[in-house]
Amino acid sequence: MKAIRGAITVENDCAEEIKSAVKELLEEILKKNSLITEQIVCILFSSTNDLHSFYPAKAAREAGFFLVPLYSSIEPHIDGSLTKCIRVMLLAETDFLPKHVYLKGASALRKDITNVINIAIDGPAGSGKSTVAKIIAQKLNILCLDTGATYRACALACLRAKVDVNNSKAVSSLMDKIQIEVSYENGVQKTYLNGEEVSSAIRQNEISMLASTVSAHECVRSKMVKLQRKTAATTSCILDGRDIGTNVLPEAKFKFFLTARPDIRAQRRYSELTAKGQKVSYEELKKEIIKRDEQDKSRQIAPLKQAEDAILIDSSDMTIEEVVQFVLNSVQEKI
Ligand code: DC
């Protein structure tokens, strides 16, 4: 079961306005959360004590919520707080991450939800970016865009089509023919290549180096950056990559550069891959990670680099929870 919050304001204390505001708010909550009435367990309303003309619960009943248990209460007056506001808590049987809805004047109550926020986390391979980004996305209820996955999908396309990742002409011609997309199921990113889900296939270790090489081509970067910017423009999200803070979203309000010593990063990758049953050698991985970082740092277009305004985090001696808490605190301070 999930709890979904929402609020809306009205201009006048009049029955018709309250009825239409409650209807609009509930319909928007259902739409945003892909819910049907049968999934609603109950709806609790509160309204500021300057609204006397109509009960929000009665308005919900009139709006078609016949069988749902409903409850309304009046909030105490708090000096300086929002006026003529109806708040709602809706409990629903769903596994999806709740999308809270704040409409009209009530959007001021939750700027973190109503304004699109973008968090950039860049850093070298194995620094823990994607692990941290996924947890933060869940905690803030925003999307997590693993941009490396899109470059990995390009590398997989080259591998399958037997295109040399160093040959920019051949890569460019392949890029014109392929389609790469990402979508989200229960907040988890799925990566598609020409309509086929390749989320696991792109995690093979041999793809890592190919992705680094293929990502240096302008034709690849321009296509992937377009996809990343399109998502970030309309959706609050945390993006992890190499050039998010410097190139993809130089205006992002929150930027972090996450790094760790190479031996630690190699150890993390080693544990991650062996846990998935892949046979890899620690020493080989360490060499590969160092080589890949050099390649990502030294390419001409949008190399791996800390943005001047990014906060540097060295996670070598930090737990994942500590890094997550540090990022969350920094975001909360600035929101
Ligand atoms: O984060 P990852 O290991 O999945 O990334 C694979 C490669 O993709 C990485 O070595 C360089 C490239 N990449 C990039 O150039 N820009 C990004 N924003 C993300 C990844």
Side-chain angles (χ1 to χ4, degrees):
M1 187 155 62
K2 292 281 159 33
I4 304 165
R5 287 300 321 263
I8 190 166
T9 49
V10 289
E11 281 186 18
N12 302 295
D13 176 20
C14 94
E16 283 319 307
E17 271 198 47
I18 292 173
K19 282 197 242 180
S20 102
V22 166
K23 188 165 186 279
E24 182 183 345
L25 180 60
L26 293 179
E27 282 175 356
E28 192 61 18
I29 288 177
L30 294 198
K31 192 167 122 209
K32 277 250 166 71
N33 290 278
S34 308
L35 289 173
I36 53 167
T37 322
E38 287 66 29
Q39 287 171 281
I40 302 174
V41 177
C42 67
I43 309 175
L44 312 172
F45 292 96
S46 66
S47 44
T48 45
N49 76 352
D50 47 6
L51 294 179
H52 304 285
S53 308
F54 213 77
Y55 285 117
K58 201 168 166 205
R61 194 72 75 216
E62 288 191 11
F65 295 83
F66 303 116
L67 301 172
V68 181
L70 303 165
Y71 174 82
S72 305
S73 64
I74 303 279
E75 298 166 13
H77 171 74
I78 306 284
D79 278 342
S81 70
L82 207 59
T83 56
K84 300 193 189 67
C85 181
I86 301 162
R87 291 177 170 87
V88 66
M89 162 99 89
L90 185 151
L91 300 184
E93 293 289 0
T94 171
D95 291 331
F96 288 103
L97 283 175
K99 291 201 173 71
H100 310 297
V101 175
Y102 288 80
L103 302 175
K104 307 220 165 121
S107 62
L109 292 170
R110 292 293 304 267
K111 291 210 172 74
D112 53 332
I113 292 175
T114 46
N115 293 350
V116 169
I117 62 161
N118 294 140
I119 305 174
I121 299 202
D122 291 305
S127 55
K129 299 181 304 286
S130 33
T131 310
V132 165
K134 275 183 207 141
I135 301 174
I136 289 169
Q138 219 172 8
K139 291 202 186 269
L140 296 178
N141 192 20
I142 59 177
L143 275 193
C144 177
L145 180 54
D146 170 1
T147 62
T150 63
Y151 293 99
R152 284 172 178 268
C154 296
L156 182 67
C158 291
L159 186 70
R160 287 181 173 176
K162 298 196 172 43
V163 164
D164 175 4
V165 287
N166 289 293
N167 182 338
S168 83
K169 260 201 169 147
V171 170
S172 173
S173 133
L174 182 68
M175 289 306 292
D176 290 340
K177 294 183 206 122
I178 61 169
Q179 215 188 355
I180 290 172
E181 288 159 320
V182 293
S183 75
Y184 292 86
E185 281 169 36
N186 278 345
V188 177
Q189 179 174 320
K190 307 271 177 195
T191 307
Y192 292 85
L193 170 61
N194 297 329
E196 175 196 340
E197 204 212 314
V198 292
S199 313
S200 302
I202 58 171
R203 294 294 149 200
Q204 292 302 313
N205 194 42
E206 62 168 324
I207 298 292
S208 304
M209 201 63 206
L210 292 176
S212 169
T213 308
V214 87
S215 70
H217 299 298
E218 156 69 18
C219 56
V220 174
R221 296 210 75 80
S222 58
K223 191 164 170 163
M224 296 306 104
V225 169
K226 213 189 245 175
L227 173 84
Q228 295 157 15
R229 286 191 182 140
K230 195 172 155 209
T231 305
T234 53
T235 318
S236 287
C237 54
I238 179 161
L239 300 92
D240 81 84
R242 303 293 188 284
D243 62 333
I244 310 300
T246 51
N247 175 50
V248 181
L249 302 173
E251 304 300 325
K253 194 167 172 189
F254 309 100
K255 293 184 189 177
F256 299 89
F257 193 83
L258 186 58
T259 187
R261 291 191 299 274
D263 53 325
I264 304 261
R265 293 190 281 117
Q267 183 57 52
R268 287 178 187 159
R269 260 297 140 86
Y270 179 77
S271 309
E272 189 188 318
L273 294 174
T274 48
K276 283 186 194 156
Q278 292 187 39
K279 285 213 163 46
V280 281
S281 122
Y282 167 78
E283 285 307 326
E284 278 303 309
L285 261 183
K286 188 166 155 187
K287 266 194 234 155
E288 247 175 59
I289 276 187
I290 293 171
K291 188 169 166 215
R292 187 144 72 99
D293 289 349
E294 275 316 308
Q295 187 162 288
D296 291 343
K297 275 189 220 161
S298 60
R299 69 173 175 232
Q300 295 247 301
I301 315 163
L304 162 66
K305 199 170 125 198
Q306 180 182 346
E308 273 175 22
D309 50 352
I311 299 174
L312 175 68
I313 309 171
D314 184 337
S315 71
S316 303
D317 302 310
M318 290 169 88
T319 62
I320 289 169
E321 291 73 30
E322 284 170 336
V323 178
V324 167
Q325 206 47 56
F326 179 85
V327 173
L328 283 176
N329 290 346
S330 311
V331 169
Q332 222 71 54
E333 264 170 31
K334 242 176 133 184
I335 228 162

